[in-house]
Amino acid sequence: EQILLMLYQAAIKNCKKAIAAIEEENIPKKGEYVGKLQDIVIELNNSLDFEVGGDVARELSSLYDYILYSSTQANIKKDQEPLEGCLKVLITLYDGWAQAIKSLKAQPQAQEAVNK
């Protein structure tokens, strides 16, 4: 689960850097950061298990497709607005996963306390 959170953190960081590069009109850096963002999102999408994950995996895949589409539009149009939408989605997903992992880690300890 730490790797998952680290991937989201890296995606968020690259998305923010791409937005900054557009603001600074640094086109080479914009392309570099958008490329890194997309590589991470593709990796996240490839790691989905649709048999185990079911509807959740399908929803995540749709969100990843949205991020890939929006970041491509931002890259082509040199427009930071689509990236800001990507950033919101990434932060929401990161927060959700962090909370889910925290809850899962707390469950065994709570169960052990009940069993004692």
Side-chain angles (χ1 to χ4, degrees):
E1 65 265 0
Q2 286 306 109
I3 292 172
L4 177 69
L5 292 179
M6 288 170 56
L7 285 170
Y8 277 113
Q9 288 168 344
I12 290 167
K13 179 181 79 172
N14 281 293
C15 190
K16 287 179 179 178
K17 285 184 174 184
I19 291 168
I22 290 171
E23 288 171 356
E24 297 163 4
E25 298 181 16
N26 188 337
I27 304 310
K29 285 291 182 189
K30 170 206 50 113
E32 178 185 334
Y33 296 130
V34 168
K36 288 179 180 180
L37 165 64
Q38 291 180 337
D39 287 346
I40 294 165
V41 172
I42 289 167
E43 187 61 37
L44 288 166
N45 196 39
N46 288 342
S47 71
L48 293 174
D49 185 333
F50 292 97
E51 287 184 28
V52 174
D55 289 340
V56 173
R58 282 187 282 283
E59 290 296 325
L60 284 170
S61 183
S62 293
L63 289 170
Y64 295 152
D65 287 346
Y66 162 79
I67 292 169
L68 290 171
Y69 175 80
S70 294
S71 59
T72 299
Q73 292 304 305
N75 200 21
I76 292 168
K77 297 176 182 176
K78 300 177 194 98
D79 180 9
Q80 68 193 47
E81 191 176 320
L83 285 173
E84 289 165 359
C86 294
L87 186 59
K88 287 178 186 171
V89 170
L90 288 166
I91 289 171
T92 301
L93 289 171
Y94 173 81
D95 290 344
W97 281 113
Q99 190 61 42
I101 291 166
K102 187 177 175 184
S103 295
L104 284 174
K105 285 185 175 181
Q107 283 179 350
Q109 294 163 353
Q111 191 60 41
E112 285 176 23
V114 171
N115 291 337
K116 287 185 179 175

